Amino acid sequence: DVKVTQSSRYLVKRTGEKVFLECVQDMDHENMFWYRQDPGLGLRLIYFSYDVKMKEKGDIPEGYSVSREKKERFSLILESASTNQTSMYLCASSSRQGVGLPQHFGDGTRLSIL
Amino acid sequence: AQKITQTQPGMFVQEKEAVTLDCTYDTSDQSYGLFWYKQPSSGEMIFLIYQGSYDEQNATEGRYSLNFQKARKSANLVISASQLGDSAMYFCAMRANFGNEKLTFGTGTRLTIIP
């Protein structure tokens, strides 16, 4: 069965800290994505990756960076956390092997920046 | 650019009734796909149904069907015989079939099923 695992369900950090959110998928998917979800705004794409060591900016990349050193792992980094980055973060992966294949999501990380 | 509009922030429906969740979209792409996801209060996003822009038949998956009207750029989700477990947020999303593979999401509809 498809599995996307995010390292933490809940995380509390302080302003200015460097924060790492980890995501691992076991489906050998080429694509991986990071979204943030805020009430009334839906899901917004932060960064995505088509392949190892490749990354593309999404709609709201400011204040974030990503790393993909291995195919199965995609990390989101908050370089210097700020309170406006308090949000729900969702990781997803998908295959490039056909049209109409859905993205599969992890359970999400609720991040609070104090 | 792609845009998804979900105009119903919240809906309340009696158990066992059918419910239609609205979704309209805007795109300049000729080939694209439309997706619906369910997000229960626990937070995970569950894929429900997919419709391709060139599919002639409306997609169906069990109690879910997609009412696709291409000329009107609408892709409404229909849930038949609603159940208490259908209470959740529902998101409509779209993706171009060529080029990058990112999904564009709507703002969601919170569906509450009343016993």
Side-chain angles (χ1 to χ4, degrees):
Chain A
D1 199 12
V2 167
K3 190 68 177 175
V4 178
T5 303
Q6 294 184 229
S7 53
S8 306
R9 288 301 301 271
Y10 301 92
L11 204 54
V12 180
K13 296 291 182 181
R14 295 211 172 270
T15 303
E17 280 192 67
K18 191 169 186 176
V19 181
F20 293 86
L21 302 183
E22 306 286 347
C23 176
V24 176
Q25 51 97 0
D26 66 358
M27 297 160 288
D28 202 35
H29 283 168
E30 297 86 354
N31 303 324
M32 295 190 76
F33 307 83
W34 275 107
Y35 296 88
R36 68 176 278 177
Q37 181 181 4
D38 300 289
L41 297 178
L43 278 73
R44 294 177 293 166
L45 182 65
I46 305 171
Y47 267 98
F48 59 106
S49 170
Y50 291 132
D51 203 348
V52 176
K53 297 193 185 295
M54 293 184 65
K55 60 185 179 184
E56 296 274 348
K57 291 181 180 179
D59 299 317
I60 51 164
E62 296 78 19
Y64 303 94
S65 63
V66 290
S67 172
R68 193 164 181 202
E69 296 296 319
K70 293 185 178 181
K71 190 176 186 180
E72 67 270 19
R73 186 179 297 270
F74 193 35
S75 302
L76 179 69
I77 303 155
L78 286 65
E79 297 291 344
S80 178
S82 63
T83 54
N84 63 12
Q85 292 178 310
T86 291
S87 188
M88 171 77 141
Y89 290 87
L90 289 157
C91 175
S93 72
S94 68
S95 171
R96 297 181 68 86
Q97 299 307 314
V99 170
L101 297 177
Q103 290 183 12
H104 298 273
F105 284 81
D107 290 343
T109 297
R110 290 192 184 277
L111 175 64
S112 295
I113 306 297
L114 304 180
Chain B
Q2 300 172 337
K3 185 175 181 181
I4 295 282
T5 302
Q6 294 181 255
T7 56
Q8 307 152 308
M11 289 186 69
F12 290 85
V13 173
Q14 205 75 38
E15 189 180 8
K16 298 181 185 175
E17 288 185 355
V19 56
T20 298
L21 304 180
D22 295 340
C23 172
T24 58
Y25 62 91
D26 192 19
T27 182
S28 55
D29 295 300
Q30 295 302 308
S31 180
Y32 51 87
L34 295 150
F35 300 79
W36 276 92
Y37 283 85
K38 172 184 179 181
Q39 186 181 42
S41 57
S42 50
E44 73 272 26
M45 294 283 284
I46 302 167
F47 165 68
L48 296 178
I49 196 166
Y50 164 81
Q51 178 83 43
S53 58
Y54 288 112
D55 294 341
E56 294 186 355
Q57 303 270 1
N58 285 343
T60 60
E61 288 287 348
R63 292 187 301 112
Y64 303 108
S65 61
L66 203 152
N67 184 1
F68 180 49
Q69 299 186 45
K70 192 171 181 177
R72 300 179 66 178
K73 293 190 174 179
S74 76
N76 298 339
L77 178 70
V78 180
I79 306 174
S80 63
S82 57
Q83 303 171 356
L84 296 178
D86 294 333
S87 293
M89 281 289 288
Y90 288 80
F91 291 96
C92 180
M94 76 176 300
R95 185 186 72 200
N97 284 341
F98 302 101
N100 70 57
E101 310 235 342
K102 67 176 198 174
L103 282 174
T104 300
F105 283 84
T107 53
T109 297
R110 180 170 298 280
L111 175 65
T112 304
I113 306 299
I114 306 165

